[in-house]
Amino acid sequence: MRRFLLITWTMLFYRLDRFLPKALIPLHIRILLWPFLLFPKRHSPAVSLRLALEQLGPIFVKFGQMLSTRKDLLADDLADELAKLQDQVPPFAAEQAFAIMSTSLGQPVEQVFASIDREPLASASIAQVHSAILNNGLEVVVKVVRPGILQVIELDIRLLQRLARWIERFHPDGKRLHAIEVVNDYRHTIVDELDLQKEAANTSQLRRNFIDSELLYIPEVYWDYCSRNMMVQERIHGIPVTDIAQLQAQNTNLRKLAERGVEIFFTQVFRDSFFHADMHPGNIFVSRETPENPKYIGIDCAIIGSLSEFDQYYLARNLLAIFQRDYRAFAELHIECGWVPADTRVGELEAAIRSVCEPVFEKPLGEISFGLLLLDLFRTARRFDMEVQPSLVLLQKTLLNIEGLGRQLYPELDLWHTAKPFLENWMRERYSPKSLLKQLQRQAPSLLEQLPQVPDLLFNRLSHQQPEQAAQTKLLQSLKQQQKISWLLASCCMLSSAVAITLLAIKLF
């Protein structure tokens, strides 16, 4: 309750009521809040919102970071002010940071680092970063978790959980929204972000996935100095992705840069099923090398998303259906994968989707906002009791961030032109003979492990069927005696088939 009152007080103190149309505030609430609305308007609306989010803590700062990437949806002054939440949150004292480092290292920081800056290089809602030089001369950055931040996050999560329970209990769409599940998933995500050991592991995995890539560079982690509260990583010297003036000064190919951002996202989601889910501009830089063939640098891999093969498959097919304007397939897929009730009328859902998409597709491709289209589709799907898929929430947020960033770099970004060929190629490769062979090879050890159990399973199944004739009893005994022979023959068949398929694949590919 204290946290709720603090949030309410902060919002009133900074007069965030300015963002709400009066028509949305019931009269009795306006009367109740009237004395508080006499507070002076100390800052502009944009500055007030940024200061309020900073004061309220990490969950609110994350919300502001996400909003800041959508300059196509916000006024310029508001987007610019919220962008300061990406790496300009007020820092905590250097003494506290150094004390955390010394505790984690088990020795004073002066013995580990040849030098370390007291002023942080960047400061965000969860942690802050100091530049340093190791005793071996390597330039590094040291990331340290804010002290006491877990308690603030837990209070906010409990408040969100209570709100989610109210939504599911009283809101007409409560069950469909899966609010409790979404909040619980978010709790796991943000609590994991406090464990820098997990972030270091995510960073190492993402680095391996793109180790020789022209698209993305991930800095190296120095594991000898990492713990839950501290992480040491290679320092990079790229250009902040939002510094358009500096990018233009070195003749960066901005169109290619924007398109590569989309390509990186889809590669992470569909090739690796391991995607950076916090890609706000404060975490993205551009290499100063080869500006005509620009390369991204990614940092802060604390929040990582992944999809099951089921979600990958249906997401790819749904996106392709939209790209191809095949609304019938889109509607059928939503029913097939259980995203809308099984008794939904395909024709009605198809017509509703068409009414949303056709006006959008009549615009030039460069003017189509995929983010706005997604929001319109969700509003339409509400009529058909479409359920929110918690596993896709992180992905949807990341896709909105990527498109917003891409349009800042290159306003004519054609997300459709970049994404459609990628998805078509992915679908072809997924079901190619070569891919099927790889799946067979991956599953062969498991199949061979289970193969000896097949005769026993068959014997047990037949044993429980109460044989009516003596011949059946004799057959069961015979099967039991021939168990080893059956297993041997089956194993030989499977191995010979695998060899034949392998030889065929070698010949074809």
Side-chain angles (χ1 to χ4, degrees), residues 7-24:
I7 293 170
T8 305
W9 171 262
T10 303
M11 294 174 71
L12 291 172
F13 179 81
Y14 287 104
R15 295 298 309 274
L16 299 191
D17 59 285
R18 287 177 283 177
F19 289 96
L20 292 175
K22 290 185 178 180
L24 295 181

Side-chain angles (χ1 to χ4, degrees), residues 432-477:
S432 68
K434 190 174 183 179
S435 177
L436 292 174
L437 176 62
K438 286 182 179 178
Q439 291 183 41
L440 178 62
Q441 290 173 333
R442 187 171 63 248
Q443 296 176 13
S446 176
L447 292 173
L448 289 172
E449 182 71 25
Q450 296 175 29
L451 190 60
Q453 302 173 24
V454 172
D456 271 339
L457 292 172
L458 179 61
F459 181 82
N460 291 335
R461 180 66 179 267
L462 291 173
S463 297
H464 287 85
Q465 289 184 351
Q466 299 285 330
E468 297 178 359
Q469 300 176 0
Q472 289 177 314
T473 304
K474 188 175 181 180
L475 174 63
L476 291 173
Q477 293 171 348

Side-chain angles (χ1 to χ4, degrees), residues 226-238:
C226 294
S227 67
R228 286 184 60 88
N229 297 319
M230 171 183 172
M231 184 177 82
V232 177
Q233 186 176 9
E234 171 192 0
R235 183 174 182 182
I236 52 97
H237 294 279

Side-chain angles (χ1 to χ4, degrees), residues 244-255:
I244 305 298
Q246 195 174 165
L247 292 173
Q248 289 175 335
Q250 69 165 16
N251 296 318
T252 303
N253 187 333
L254 294 180
R255 175 176 179 173

Side-chain angles (χ1 to χ4, degrees), residues 280-297:
H280 64 75
N283 292 337
I284 306 172
F285 295 81
V286 179
S287 172
R288 297 179 185 274
E289 302 173 1
T290 61
E292 72 286 349
N293 194 35
K295 185 174 186 176
Y296 283 94
I297 302 172

